[in-house]
Amino acid sequence: MKKDHKNPEGVVAVVGGGIAGMRAAMDLAEAGLQVYLIERDASLGGRVAQLGYMFPTHDCVLCRGSSDNGYGCTRPAISPAFMDNNQHPNIEIMTRTEIADASGQAGDFTLTLRHEPRYIDADLCTNCGLCAIACPHRMPSEFQESLVTRMAIHKSAPRTLPDAYFIDKGDYCEGCYRCQDVCPTDAINLDAEPWEETISFSAIILALGYKLSDPLELAEYGYGRYPNVVHSMQYERYVSRSGPTEGLVLRPSDNTSPKRIAWLQCIGSRDQDHPYCSSICCMYATKEAILAKERLDGVHCQVFMMDARAFNKEYNAYFHRSYEKYGVEYTRCRISELSEDPKTNDLIVHYPDPENNQKMTESRFDMVVLSVGVRPPGGAEIVSQELGFDLNEYGFCQTDKFNPLESSQPGIYVCGAFSEPKEIAETLIDAAGAAGDVMCLFHNQLGKSPYSREHPFLSEGGEFPPEKDVEGQPPRVGVFVCRCYPSMEGIIDIDRVCEQAASYPNVAHAEDVGYGCFTEGQEAIKAAIQEHDLNRVVIAGCSHRTHESLFQRTVREAGLNSYLMEMVNIRGFCAWVHPHQPEKATRKAMEMIRVGAARASTLQPIHKSTIAPSSRALVLGGGVSGMTTALAIADSGFDVTLIEREDALGGNLLKIHFLVEGDNPGQLLRDLVNRVHVHERITIHTRSELVKHSGQAGAYHAVIQHRNGTETQIPHAVAVVATGGQETRVNQYLLGKHPNVLTHLEFEDALVYRLEELTDLKSVVMIQCVRPEGIEHDYCSRICCTSTMKNAIRLKAINPNCQITVLYKDIITYGFREQYYTEARERGVVFVRYSDDAKPVVESPNGKLQVHIQDHMLNRPMLIEPNLIALSTAIAPSQGTQKLALLLDIPLSDEGFFLEAHIKMRPMDFMKEGIFVCGIAHYPKFIEESISQALAAAGRATTFLSKQPYHYGGVVAEIDPDKCVGCLTCVRTCPFSIPHVKADLNGVGDLGGAAYIDPAFCHGCGTCAGECPANAIQLKNYTDQQIMVPEQSALGSWITV
Amino acid sequence: MNEKIFEPELTAFTCIYCGYMAADTASSLRVEYPANVKLVKLPCTGKIDIRYILEAFEKGADGVYVVACPIGNCHHVKGNVRAQARVKHAKYLLEEVGLDSERLDIFYMSGGQGVAYADAAKEMTERVKALGPNPLKKNARG
C-alpha cells in the first residue's frame, strides 16, 4: 500500500522502531499526518521487546505494546495499530531499512533509504514455519542474547511486527534454497537484492535508542571467560516468560538453580571512560533481584552499588520493598576483584565491606550479573554526519536545555535514550513530545491524512458500502474453513469438517477456501456472503489475535457489520498442537466450529458513538509546563484557556536564577510569558481557579472562579493539568529558627542577591533528603542533588576556601548530571553519607551552628561547625492538588502527585480520556523534563483535538436500569471506577437512582457484568447469551462424530 | 472396538490477553498437548460468571478451567483476582451439588508461556480422566 508522497508537506520520517518510534509515529498518524517508520531490524519493538517485566509495576511488557507480543492494549497503548492486518492508514512501516543519504533542510528533507531484503514477502508469509524446519543453518539468537540458537531463516519471537519470517543471510546462509523449495505460497526469493528509494520529508524524528555497554571491554569482570558471569540483558531473557527457559533462572555452566546471585552495578557507567550515569541500571537490578527472590526459594541476592538511584515515581517505595519485603541485600561499594573457582565455576567477589570498616572481604556466588550501562546506538555517528546534527561529548544526540527534543539541526527532533539514557516512561514522554513539537510545525496539515476508528479496526474512512440491516432477520451463518495448505494437511480433515459444519443449526453455507487471508480468499468469502445472503460469518483458520481485523474488514466490505464475524482458530489450536492425533484434532476442530457457529448466530451489530470535539483546550497552571503546553497546543491551531492561581505567570521558574548547565532561566521565563501573552489563540486568566468540571472527553465544561468572585464558563474538549509543586518547609535542623539555616531556594537567592555575605564563609553544610514531618511516603525529589551541586559549585567558584560538606543518603545525579557531581568533588566538596538510623543532628549553642554526624567510612562521630546550612527539602505537590483531583475525578499517587493512567506506558495521560498531565504535578522534575512532558501532553491533546469526529464506545458494558437495584457492586468492582449511580435514572420498581456506565470511559473488560448480582449488566459482543448459547450447549459436551 | 476409552471433554475460559496469547504461543512453538480442551474467549477473566462455569458442567463438560494473566499482571488490573474468587465460590457450589470440585481450576500464565499452557491442558485432562465422566452428562444435550 504505497502512498503518494509527491507532496512532502506534513510527511514525517520516524527513524527507529522501538517504543519511542512507535509512540511518536502513532501520535502523528492519529493527528492526521503521514508517517514513515524506519527500522533497521526486521521487526519493531526495539529493546523493550526483550524485556519480560517493567520496574516498578512488574507488568509484563507483553500486552503493554511491544513487538515481541504485539497485541498491545486495545485502547491506549501503542501497538495494535502496527499489526499487519490493522495497520494505521497513515503509517508506513519499513523494516531492514537505513538512511543511505540525506539532503535538504527543515520542511524539505530528502532521504535516500536503503532496504535490505527480508527475502520473504511478508504479505505472502502465512507463518507456517516450514522454511525454518527446512533451514540447516543454526546461529546464535540475538533476541535471546545468544543464550540459544536460531535458524538463519526465522522470526525473532513467536509474534513479531511485521508478523512474518525473514532471512538474516549473514555469514551463515549459503543459499541452499531448501526454504524456497518448501514454501507453500512462494513467498521466498533468495536472490532478492537490496534496493534504494528516495523520499521527501518535512521533518525527521530520531528514535535510535541505545546499545548496551560491551561487557567484553571490561575484561576484569570475567564476562566471556567465566560461564556464570552473564550480563543484565541475558538475565532479562532468563526471567522473561518468552525467554529460552520460560522464566527460569539457570546457571549457565550446569543449568542448576543458583542459590547466590550477585549484581555488579555501574559496569560501563560512572567510570573514567564513561563518566555519565546510565539511569536505568539501579532499578532494573532491583527488579531482577526481586524476580529472583520470587522465583527461587531461599536465594541470596546481593547488589554491589555506589548509590541507589531510585528517583522516579514509586521507585523509592519499590526499592525499599526489595530489601524490607524480599530481603535483597545492597552493599555500597565497587568490588575490587572477581575470580572464579575453576572446579565449581563459582565466582568469588572481593570487596571492601562497608559494614566492617571497609575490610577486604570475599564472598562466593553461583552467578554474577553485570549491570551493563547504556551507550549511544550503533551507527549514531554515521547518521549524525548524514543528517548534519551534533552529538554531545558522550556520543548521544546533542540537545538544548530549553529545547530538549530538538537536535542541533532544525527540523530534526530526537526522543528516547538517544538523547540521554532513560527508562520507558521518560522515553514515551519524549516520543509524544517530539510528535507534539512536529504537530506545531505542520499545524496546517493536521487531519489532512484522514483515518477512521469507526470500526473495530483502523480504516481510511468512508470506503465501505452501506451496512445491511440484519435486525429481526433469522441468522444465516456462513462457515469458511481455511485450508492454509499445508499447515493442516494430514491432521485436520478439512472436507469432513466442512461437511459437518453445513449441518449445524443456522448454518446456511459452508465451504473451504485456500488461504482466506489472500486476496482470492477474501473475494471468495465476499462473493459467498452475497450469493447465499449470509448475515453471520465464521472464519475457521488462524488466530483472531493476528487476523480478526482483516476478516472484520472483509465482512464489512461485504456490507455486514464487522461484529457479525467470529473466528475459530483451528490451525493453531488443532493442527499445530495435535499433529499426532489427527482424529481427535479433527473432532476438536468440528466442535470448535460448532461453538463458533452457535455464537455467530447470536451476534449483533455494534456501532460506536461519535462526538465532534470542540476546538478548545483548558490548561491548569501557568508555570513552565503550563505555558509550554498552552503554546504548543495554540501553535497547532487550537484555542487555549490558561488558568493561573497566582498574580503572575511563571510558577517555580520565578524563583530560579541560574542553572548548573549555565543556561539562563530568566530568558526562558521572559520568552514564555511574552509568547503566551501575545498569542492570538491563548486566553489567560490569572488569579483564577477551577471550581467545577463536568462532561466527557471532547465536550467538557469548566467553571472558573476569579479572585474578585466572578465566574467564567469554559466549554473545552481536553484539559491539561500543569499545577506544579513546591519546595516544602520543615520544622527540622533549625530551619526558621536560626537565620543561617536556609532551604536551597533561599540559598540560591542569597548566591545571587547577597553574594557579599557569602564570600567570607568558612564552612557550609548541605543536608540532602530532608523530608517534612507528616509526609508518610519517602520519595526522591529528583532535582535536589543536582541543585546542591549547582549551588556548591557556584559557592566554590566565588569562595574556593569555603569548606562545603554535603550530607547525603544517595547522590542522584542521573544521566549526564553526573558530571556536576564529579566537578563538585574536584572542587573539593566533601560528601558524607548518612543513614536514616543516624541522621545528622543540628544544634545551636550560643548562636553558633553545630552539626553532628556519624562518618560512615571511618565509623566515628564527626562534629562540623558551619557558618551556614542549606537544606534540600522535599518537593511536594502544589497546595490544592487534592481538591483539584476531586474536581476532575482523577486519582493521586501515594506521594500525593497526580496518578497517570499507567506509570510506564502512559505517563502523560489519565485513565479519564481527554485529560493529560505534565510537569511537577506529575512528579518533581527538571526544567527540560517538564518541557518534554508539556510538549507530550500538548501532542496528546492536539491529537485528540484533530479527531473529527472522535469515536467512542463499541464493546462496552451496558446497564439495564430496570434491573438495577443500586447495590453499588459494579461501582466497587470496576477496576477503572467508571460506573456510578445516576439520580435521574430509575431502577427496579421505578425507584430513583440506578447505576450508569459511561460508554466514553468503559474499557470493556466485563468485570462488572460478571459480578452484578441482579444480572443487570451486559457487555456488548460478550452477552451471557452470546457466551453460553444455552440452547446449543456451547459450553458443554462435544459433538459426537 | 473395545469399550470406548474415556476422553474427557474440557472447556477452558481464557482472556484475550495472556491466556489466549499463551495458547497462541503454544501453537507457534508447536507444543503438543491433549486434544481434549475447547477454548472460550472472554475479554478478561474478570468477565467469567459463575453461571458460565455451572452451565458448562450442567451441559456435560467433564472439566472446566480458567486461564488468566499472572496475579498482578491483569490487563484490566484485577480481573484475574475476581476470576480467582469466582472459581473458588464455584468450587464450593460444585461440592454442594456433589460434583468433585477438582474438575474446576484456574491457572495463571503470561502470554509467552506456551509450555505452561500445554501443561495446564495436560494436567486437567489427566485429572479429569482419573475422576471419570461428568455424572450430569447423561442429562446433557449435544
Side-chain angles (χ1 to χ4, degrees):
Chain A
M1 203 165 37
K2 281 267 177 278
K3 297 250 161 41
D4 176 22
H5 40 252
K6 277 174 202 141
N7 172 19
E9 208 177 346
V11 182
V12 185
V14 176
V15 187
I19 49 154
M22 289 165 81
R23 171 83 270 159
M26 194 62 213
D27 282 352
L28 291 167
E30 289 275 296
L33 298 172
Q34 269 190 57
V35 190
Y36 285 72
L37 183 57
I38 299 163
E39 167 59 44
R40 186 168 55 179
D41 284 342
S43 49
L44 302 182
R47 279 282 164 215
V48 168
Q50 284 182 294
L51 305 177
Y53 296 87
M54 295 185 276
F55 58 80
T57 53
H58 283 217
D59 279 329
C60 72
V61 187
L62 296 179
C63 76
R64 303 288 184 190
S66 66
S67 162
D68 172 12
N69 293 277
Y71 195 70
C73 305
T74 46
R75 271 165 188 262
I78 27 187
S79 140
F82 290 99
M83 292 188 58
D84 293 356
N85 292 308
N86 190 35
Q87 244 182 52
H88 201 291
N90 294 342
I91 301 177
E92 175 109 2
I93 298 173
M94 296 176 161
T95 53
R96 288 175 71 83
T97 300
E98 288 189 270
I99 299 172
D101 195 22
S103 63
Q105 56 197 351
D108 186 18
F109 291 105
T110 303
L111 299 185
T112 302
L113 302 174
R114 180 182 163 88
H115 306 285
E116 290 296 328
R118 296 178 65 95
Y119 301 102
I120 298 174
D121 185 339
D123 290 337
L124 293 177
C125 176
T126 63
N127 281 302
C128 68
L130 289 175
C131 53
I133 296 168
C135 181
H137 304 292
R138 274 197 178 276
M139 55 203 286
S141 161
E142 301 88 347
F143 182 75
Q144 304 289 15
E145 292 291 343
S146 303
L147 296 172
V148 289
T149 56
R150 62 160 174 90
M151 296 321 198
I153 189 163
H154 74 298
K155 289 171 83 176
S156 57
R159 277 168 295 279
T160 56
L161 303 170
D163 196 20
Y165 281 76
F166 78 102
I167 299 172
D168 185 358
K169 272 198 163 176
D171 303 331
Y172 294 81
C173 171
E174 294 152 5
C176 66
Y177 290 87
R178 279 184 220 174
C179 51
Q180 201 165 309
D181 294 343
V182 299
C183 180
T185 58
D186 290 330
I188 306 180
N189 173 15
L190 273 179
D191 303 314
E193 294 284 334
W195 58 286
E196 291 189 350
E197 70 179 318
T198 302
I199 304 178
S200 298
F201 296 102
S202 294
I204 298 170
I205 293 179
L206 301 169
L208 304 188
Y210 67 97
K211 90 177 171 204
L212 299 171
S213 308
D214 182 1
L216 287 172
E217 278 174 19
L218 297 146
E220 63 270 31
Y221 293 110
Y223 180 80
R225 285 183 291 138
Y226 307 148
N228 293 329
V229 176
V230 300
H231 65 70
S232 43
M233 194 54 89
Q234 289 179 319
Y235 186 89
E236 292 282 344
R237 292 316 301 152
Y238 274 124
V239 290
S240 170
R241 297 294 193 189
S242 66
T245 57
E246 279 204 1
L248 289 177
V249 179
L250 298 175
R251 221 163 91 106
S253 69
D254 53 9
N255 282 337
T256 56
S257 285
K259 303 268 183 309
R260 292 173 61 83
I261 313 177
W263 276 261
L264 307 185
Q265 296 306 104
C266 298
I267 304 297
S269 307
R270 300 180 73 186
D271 60 19
Q272 260 86 21
D273 297 328
H274 307 284
Y276 58 87
C277 164
S278 291
S279 298
I280 57 173
C281 327
C282 282
M283 294 317 292
Y284 76 59
T286 301
K287 169 188 77 180
E288 291 175 0
I290 291 178
L291 287 170
K293 285 279 185 184
E294 283 179 342
R295 305 267 175 87
L296 303 168
D297 223 13
V299 68
H300 170 83
C301 294
Q302 194 167 358
V303 183
F304 293 87
M305 57 164 40
M306 299 200 282
D307 293 285
R309 294 195 164 167
F311 54 83
N312 216 339
K313 212 173 199 165
E314 291 185 18
Y315 289 7
N316 215 52
Y318 178 67
F319 179 69
H320 282 288
R321 249 192 339 268
S322 74
Y323 57 83
E324 279 165 6
K325 182 177 165 199
Y326 292 96
V328 176
E329 285 183 27
Y330 293 89
T331 306
R332 310 242 171 194
C333 69
R334 265 198 192 270
I335 66 158
S336 60
E337 194 192 338
L338 180 81
S339 57
E340 190 197 40
D341 177 346
K343 278 189 206 139
T344 57
N345 294 118
D346 288 353
L347 299 155
I348 300 150
V349 173
H350 307 254
Y351 65 99
D353 188 357
E355 302 291 308
N356 192 7
N357 285 335
Q358 311 293 329
K359 216 172 129 191
M360 273 317 229
T361 312
E362 276 185 22
S363 210
R364 195 173 263 267
F365 291 95
D366 297 325
M367 195 168 168
V368 166
V369 183
L370 303 181
S371 292
V372 289
V374 173
R375 288 268 185 288
E381 278 178 31
I382 301 171
V383 177
S384 78
Q385 281 160 14
E386 271 160 5
L387 293 174
F389 63 89
D390 297 335
L391 299 180
N392 67 14
E393 58 194 301
Y394 310 113
F396 291 84
C397 183
Q398 176 77 52
T399 57
D400 178 83
K401 173 104 178 162
F402 301 147
N403 297 292
L405 305 174
E406 294 176 29
S407 76
S408 60
Q409 178 71 251
I412 300 183
Y413 300 83
V414 61
C415 57
F418 183 36
S419 58
E420 189 169 1
K422 58 188 65 161
E423 45 89 43
I424 293 173
E426 284 159 27
T427 295
L428 291 172
I429 289 173
D430 273 14
D437 247 342
V438 170
M439 287 174 210
C440 301
L441 213 56
F442 303 111
H443 58 89
N444 55 340
Q445 295 295 318
L446 294 177
K448 289 279 170 68
S449 295
Y451 68 95
S452 170
R453 286 188 180 270
E454 181 185 352
H455 306 289
F457 51 86
L458 278 154
S459 65
E460 291 180 11
E463 70 265 52
F464 299 111
E467 202 176 288
K468 273 186 214 158
D469 185 9
V470 301
E471 176 78 40
Q473 291 179 12
R476 290 181 57 80
V477 181
V479 178
F480 299 91
V481 186
C482 290
R483 278 194 184 270
C484 199
Y485 178 82
S487 288
M488 296 190 264
E489 198 67 8
I491 306 166
I492 311 287
D493 185 341
I494 301 279
D495 294 330
R496 243 175 87 206
V497 167
C498 273
E499 205 177 295
Q500 181 82 26
S503 71
Y504 298 144
N506 301 324
V507 172
H509 174 72
E511 69 171 280
D512 65 293
V513 286
Y515 297 99
C517 54
F518 285 14
T519 312
E520 305 86 83
Q522 301 270 297
E523 293 308 321
I525 293 167
K526 282 187 266 182
I529 291 173
Q530 303 303 347
E531 190 188 332
H532 302 280
D533 193 23
L534 304 174
N535 55 19
R536 305 288 190 285
V537 171
V538 172
I539 307 283
C542 52
S543 173
H544 80 106
R545 299 178 57 85
T546 54
H547 283 72
E548 189 172 48
S549 301
L550 178 78
F551 291 109
Q552 282 176 331
R553 196 185 302 264
T554 309
V555 299
R556 186 62 193 82
E557 281 168 358
L560 294 178
N561 182 280
S562 348
Y563 288 99
L564 300 177
M565 189 279 302
E566 173 70 8
M567 285 193 75
V568 179
N569 186 358
I570 58 170
R571 182 176 82 157
F573 295 166
C574 302
W576 283 356
V577 288
H578 312 310
H580 299 108
Q581 26 188 351
E583 190 57 38
K584 286 173 76 179
T586 302
R587 180 179 175 225
K588 180 175 169 186
M590 289 174 176
E591 169 64 13
M592 285 176 60
I593 293 172
R594 181 187 76 84
V595 176
R599 174 172 153 76
S601 42
T602 66
L603 294 174
Q604 291 300 322
I606 297 175
H607 297 104
K608 290 185 184 173
S609 313
T610 59
I611 193 168
S614 74
S615 65
R616 182 170 293 276
L618 177 71
V619 177
L620 302 168
V624 60
S625 303
M627 288 192 286
T628 305
T629 293
L631 282 167
I633 298 172
D635 282 347
S636 301
F638 298 96
D639 299 318
V640 180
T641 302
L642 178 62
I643 309 295
E644 167 60 48
R645 182 167 58 184
E646 303 299 327
D647 297 347
L649 297 175
N652 283 315
L653 200 50
L654 292 165
K655 299 173 198 157
I656 298 171
H657 307 299
F658 62 97
L659 297 168
V660 71
E661 294 90 349
D663 302 85
N664 179 359
Q667 195 186 335
L668 174 70
L669 177 66
R670 278 195 303 279
D671 265 13
L672 286 174
V673 172
N674 288 344
R675 285 175 58 209
V676 167
H677 273 294
V678 301
H679 206 295
E680 59 178 6
R681 288 195 177 275
I682 300 179
T683 312
I684 304 170
H685 295 284
T686 49
R687 306 185 191 93
S688 305
E689 283 187 72
L690 182 77
V691 288
K692 262 187 204 152
H693 197 260
S694 58
Q696 69 173 73
Y700 282 120
H701 190 89
V703 181
I704 306 300
Q705 193 173 60
H706 309 294
R707 210 180 286 167
N708 63 13
T710 58
E711 288 187 346
T712 306
Q713 314 280 326
I714 301 170
H716 58 283
V718 293
V720 180
V721 178
T723 47
Q726 59 195 13
E727 188 187 68
T728 48
R729 299 290 298 181
V730 294
N731 192 16
Q732 297 166 46
Y733 302 125
L734 304 178
L735 182 67
K737 299 203 174 72
H738 192 289
N740 288 354
V741 179
L742 308 175
T743 68
H744 260 281
L745 276 181
E746 291 166 344
F747 184 52
E748 180 172 336
D749 224 49
L751 274 167
V752 172
Y753 296 114
R754 291 182 283 129
L755 198 55
E756 62 287 353
E757 294 171 24
L758 307 179
T759 45
D760 46 345
L761 291 178
K762 297 277 183 295
S763 170
V764 169
V765 166
M766 298 181 177
I767 305 177
Q768 301 304 105
C769 295
V770 181
R771 180 158 44 117
E773 311 74 14
I775 286 196
E776 220 176 288
H777 293 273
D778 199 3
Y779 59 88
C780 171
S781 295
R782 214 171 147 103
I783 58 176
C784 331
C785 282
T786 308
S787 296
T788 296
M789 302 306 158
K790 170 178 92 168
N791 292 341
I793 291 169
R794 173 67 66 111
L795 182 59
K796 274 285 186 188
I798 56 167
N799 181 359
N801 294 326
C802 180
Q803 172 68 56
I804 303 177
T805 312
V806 177
L807 310 182
Y808 72 100
K809 293 204 286 192
D810 289 289
I811 291 293
I812 312 286
T813 47
Y814 56 96
F816 305 144
R817 293 162 194 88
E818 183 74 9
Q819 60 183 303
Y820 307 112
Y821 181 27
T822 309
E823 184 181 342
R825 280 176 302 166
E826 281 168 358
R827 285 178 182 270
V829 178
V830 174
F831 290 83
V832 178
R833 160 172 274 133
Y834 73 87
S835 67
D836 275 334
D837 314 330
K839 284 188 177 173
V841 176
V842 176
E843 291 170 345
S844 173
N846 329 318
K848 283 192 175 167
L849 289 168
Q850 283 189 348
V851 179
H852 301 271
I853 181 82
Q854 183 79 10
D855 183 288
H856 69 294
M857 296 291 270
L858 307 170
N859 203 18
R860 65 168 70 142
M862 264 171 70
L863 170 67
I864 312 171
E865 293 185 311
N867 313 110
L868 188 146
I869 296 176
L871 302 179
S872 286
T873 56
I875 311 290
S878 293
Q879 273 178 353
T881 293
Q882 285 185 335
K883 199 176 128 203
L884 182 60
L886 281 175
L887 269 178
L888 293 172
D889 191 20
I890 45 183
L892 296 175
S893 72
D894 286 346
E895 300 101 341
F897 295 95
F898 284 101
L899 182 61
E900 60 274 37
H902 189 277
I903 70 166
K904 294 300 266 195
M905 299 308 286
R906 300 181 65 194
M908 55 278 166
D909 304 344
F910 285 115
M911 209 47 116
K912 192 161 175 177
E913 211 99 4
I915 306 186
F916 309 94
V917 64
C918 61
I920 296 182
H922 167 256
Y923 196 72
K925 46 178 63 90
F926 289 97
I927 291 175
E928 63 274 28
E929 294 169 337
S930 288
I931 293 174
S932 296
Q933 201 178 15
L935 290 168
R940 305 283 286 156
T942 302
T943 296
F944 191 96
L945 291 164
S946 316
K947 288 182 205 247
Q948 294 293 350
Y950 165 63
H951 290 275
Y952 66 95
V955 179
V956 293
E958 236 177 7
I959 300 180
D960 178 358
D962 290 341
K963 289 186 181 169
C964 176
V965 297
C967 68
L968 301 181
T969 302
C970 54
V971 177
R972 283 195 309 270
T973 317
C974 176
F976 309 106
S977 309
I978 310 297
H980 58 274
V981 172
K982 258 183 136 172
D984 55 346
L985 287 176
N986 283 352
V988 164
D990 239 6
L991 295 173
Y996 173 73
I997 294 172
D998 191 334
F1001 296 128
C1002 175
H1003 289 231
C1005 66
T1007 304
C1008 55
E1011 201 91 0
C1012 177
N1015 213 12
I1017 311 178
Q1018 290 295 334
L1019 178 65
K1020 287 186 191 175
N1021 210 34
Y1022 295 97
T1023 63
D1024 293 338
Q1025 167 68 13
Q1026 287 167 340
I1027 289 169
M1028 299 197 279
V1029 210
E1031 62 279 8
Q1032 295 196 39
S1033 180
L1035 298 181
S1037 322
W1038 294 22
I1039 45 159
T1040 37
V1041 288
Chain B
M1 283 279 278
N2 295 333
E3 198 183 324
K4 214 175 163 190
I5 306 163
F6 168 55
E7 286 291 352
E9 294 169 353
L10 308 179
T11 305
F13 293 95
T14 70
C15 66
I16 56 172
Y17 295 95
C18 290
Y20 199 94
M21 192 171 3
D24 263 0
T25 304
S27 307
S28 302
L29 301 176
R30 313 292 201 273
V31 189
E32 290 191 43
Y33 55 86
N36 297 57
V37 188
K38 69 173 166 186
L39 221 67
V40 178
K41 68 178 180 353
L42 300 172
C44 175
T45 49
K47 177 74 175 78
I48 192 88
D49 195 313
I50 291 178
R51 285 174 305 147
Y52 301 167
I53 297 171
L54 299 183
E55 159 80 10
F57 282 114
E58 199 182 326
K59 292 289 166 67
D62 298 306
V64 173
Y65 64 98
V66 179
V67 185
C69 304
I71 296 291
N73 261 338
C74 174
H75 182 86
H76 295 106
V77 189
K78 55 186 182 188
N80 50 3
V81 181
R82 297 280 168 195
Q84 184 179 42
R86 289 180 205 153
V87 166
K88 192 177 159 198
H89 188 62
K91 274 174 167 281
Y92 162 78
L93 294 176
L94 290 184
E95 292 286 346
E96 286 281 285
V97 298
L99 270 181
D100 199 321
S101 65
E102 287 291 294
R103 292 182 185 275
L104 172 65
D105 216 333
I106 181 165
F107 297 85
Y108 309 94
M109 62 192 69
S110 127
Q113 290 180 277
V115 175
Y117 181 83
D119 287 346
K122 274 180 216 155
E123 186 192 324
M124 283 307 286
T125 307
E126 291 310 314
R127 195 195 292 177
V128 175
K129 243 182 202 168
L131 290 171
N134 173 0
L136 297 172
K137 198 162 202 145
K138 54 182 181 294
N139 302 327
R141 272 178 38 189

